[in-house]
Amino acid sequence: MNSLQLEKTAKIVNHFLGTQIKGEPSQLYKAAAHLIVNGGKRLRPYMVVKSCQVLGGKTKEAITAAGAVEMVHNFTLVHDDIMDNDEMRHGVPTTHKRFGIPIAILAGDVLFSKAFQVVSKANLPSKSTSELVSRLSKACVDICEGQLLDIKMAESKKIPTQNKYIKMISKKTASLFDVSCSMGAICAKSKSKDISNLSSFGKNLGIAFQITDDLIGVMGDPKVTKKPVGNDLREGKKSLPILLAIKKAKGKNKKIILHAFGNQKAKKKEIEDAVLVIKSLGIEKSVRGQALQYAEKAKKSLNSYSGTSKNELISLLDFVVKRSL
């Protein structure tokens, strides 16, 4: 991945966000900007800009849409953290821990509303602006539906099928990757076929991203993840690596995994043992194989294009799938 290009785009997007997320009462806008000023790689805005460039558009044409996507992303983070009662993100206290739940809810709402406010003022033909608003609103609905599917999956005693898991992450995670790329294509005033190709690239990249993220959540190095060993296992998260492990394990091994799964009182050694069992079952290879299948689908979507920006999107895809544990 071209980190220089990512940083360059992040700088432009950060400046734009700084001009938009300000006002009175100042505490509301401080809360809305809290996670933004404290980190984030700006992957989604980068995808907006690069998708626009792949189709011959210029960076300045895509910045408004890129900023809007980042606002929506941060709106989901603020509200997710409240739902999950998470205390830290990007190495700082979460918005509701820093400002309290009522202000955090309002901060998320401001980010959501501002996203549509800035998109509606995009300096593009009215047909393109209308398409941007339509696609972004659909993505927001998908994210909410995906979040509820995730909550229901967590509450259920059943282990979901792989298809249900893919449907959930397609809505909860991949829809924002999808809309980032399709909005970039719209900003380049592209034909519907090109918008569809970039949309497909984003969706498949998003699924590959989440599958890999879930692998890291189970067997990632705590020094890198900044989370306890086997964090997702202890939390009882029904992610792909855990689904596959429970399905594949037999006898004593299955008992070890199920004892640790969703068990907040499990000792560190019990979690470590369960992670070792999951590793011994060859789950990493299976999960990475599936992430690669979606990555290949994403690559195919860009077959008819060429140039530096296309190569940068492919490089981002490779980085996402090959992230180390």
Side-chain angles (χ1 to χ4, degrees):
M1 184 174 66
N2 189 330
S3 53
L4 278 175
Q5 279 297 316
L6 188 62
E7 282 166 28
K8 189 180 167 188
T9 305
K11 203 173 176 183
I12 300 167
V13 171
N14 288 346
H15 174 73
F16 175 78
L17 292 170
T19 65
Q20 301 299 317
I21 307 169
K22 60 179 186 181
E24 293 294 332
S26 61
Q27 193 179 21
L28 176 61
Y29 289 93
K30 250 186 198 162
H34 175 63
L35 293 180
I36 290 170
V37 299
N38 279 297
K41 295 188 266 308
R42 310 289 180 258
L43 280 186
R44 292 154 193 82
Y46 180 75
M47 288 163 70
V48 177
V49 171
K50 290 299 156 192
S51 297
C52 181
Q53 290 175 352
V54 164
L55 300 166
K58 295 184 172 62
T59 303
K60 64 179 181 184
E61 294 167 333
I63 286 302
T64 302
V69 161
E70 188 63 15
M71 287 179 196
V72 166
H73 175 54
N74 279 273
F75 141 72
T76 66
L77 299 182
V78 172
H79 283 195
D80 268 8
D81 288 341
I82 295 168
M83 286 182 242
D84 297 341
N85 201 22
D86 282 338
E87 297 191 358
M88 299 293 286
R89 186 179 285 277
H90 302 327
V92 294
T94 47
T95 309
H96 68 282
K97 284 292 169 192
R98 171 79 175 76
F99 296 91
I101 288 175
I103 291 174
I105 291 170
L106 290 172
D109 292 347
V110 161
L111 288 167
F112 179 83
S113 307
K114 277 273 182 192
F116 288 94
Q117 188 181 44
V118 301
V119 157
S120 65
K121 292 180 185 171
N123 191 18
L124 291 164
S126 59
K127 187 170 180 266
S128 299
T129 305
S130 169
E131 180 78 352
L132 288 178
V133 170
S134 171
R135 285 191 179 247
L136 188 58
S137 55
K138 184 186 180 299
C140 291
V141 170
D142 282 342
I143 291 164
C144 294
E145 289 174 357
Q147 176 69 357
L148 188 64
L149 288 176
D150 196 15
I151 290 167
K152 289 290 171 197
M153 215 178 263
E155 286 173 354
S156 171
K157 288 193 164 58
K158 282 184 186 170
I159 299 296
T161 63
Q162 195 168 313
N163 284 346
K164 280 189 176 171
Y165 162 83
I166 295 293
K167 183 185 176 185
M168 183 272 288
I169 66 169
S170 294
K171 283 179 175 278
K172 184 179 172 177
T173 305
S175 55
L176 201 53
F177 283 80
D178 175 339
V179 84
S180 297
C181 293
S182 57
M183 285 172 78
I186 292 162
C187 291
K189 306 177 214 36
S190 303
K191 297 183 181 116
S192 58
K193 179 66 183 148
D194 295 319
I195 297 168
S196 174
N197 285 340
L198 269 296
S199 167
S200 172
F201 174 81
K203 181 183 179 179
N204 286 300
L205 166 58
I207 295 172
F209 173 90
Q210 191 58 55
I211 287 174
T212 309
D213 222 45
D214 284 344
L215 183 68
I216 293 167
V218 176
M219 49 179 87
D221 179 353
K223 292 191 195 80
V224 179
T225 64
K226 306 281 189 290
K227 288 177 179 177
V229 66
N231 187 62
D232 284 1
L233 192 63
R234 187 190 290 276
E235 295 294 323
K237 194 172 170 189
K238 292 177 180 128
S239 63
L240 185 61
I242 294 169
L243 303 187
L244 293 176
I246 290 171
K247 197 175 169 186
K248 199 172 177 183
K250 299 276 187 291
K252 188 185 168 192
N253 281 347
K254 194 164 198 158
K255 277 184 186 166
I256 291 169
I257 297 170
L258 290 174
H259 175 72
F261 182 61
N263 182 0
Q264 298 289 343
K265 292 176 182 172
K267 297 184 179 75
K268 190 183 172 195
K269 172 84 167 62
E270 290 170 328
I271 298 289
E272 284 172 353
D273 287 347
V275 171
L276 282 174
V277 168
I278 293 170
K279 284 181 178 174
S280 75
L281 294 168
I283 296 301
E284 182 182 351
K285 192 181 176 188
S286 302
V287 174
R288 287 215 185 263
Q290 295 206 34
L292 279 168
Q293 283 175 11
Y294 285 100
E296 283 308 311
K297 280 187 196 172
K299 276 181 189 170
K300 273 185 187 164
S301 306
L302 300 187
N303 273 350
S304 52
Y305 310 107
S306 58
T308 311
S309 297
K310 175 202 170 169
N311 295 339
E312 282 164 348
L313 280 178
I314 298 293
S315 167
L316 173 64
L317 179 65
D318 289 339
F319 163 74
V320 159
V321 177
K322 291 170 185 168
R323 279 177 297 165
S324 62
L325 301 177

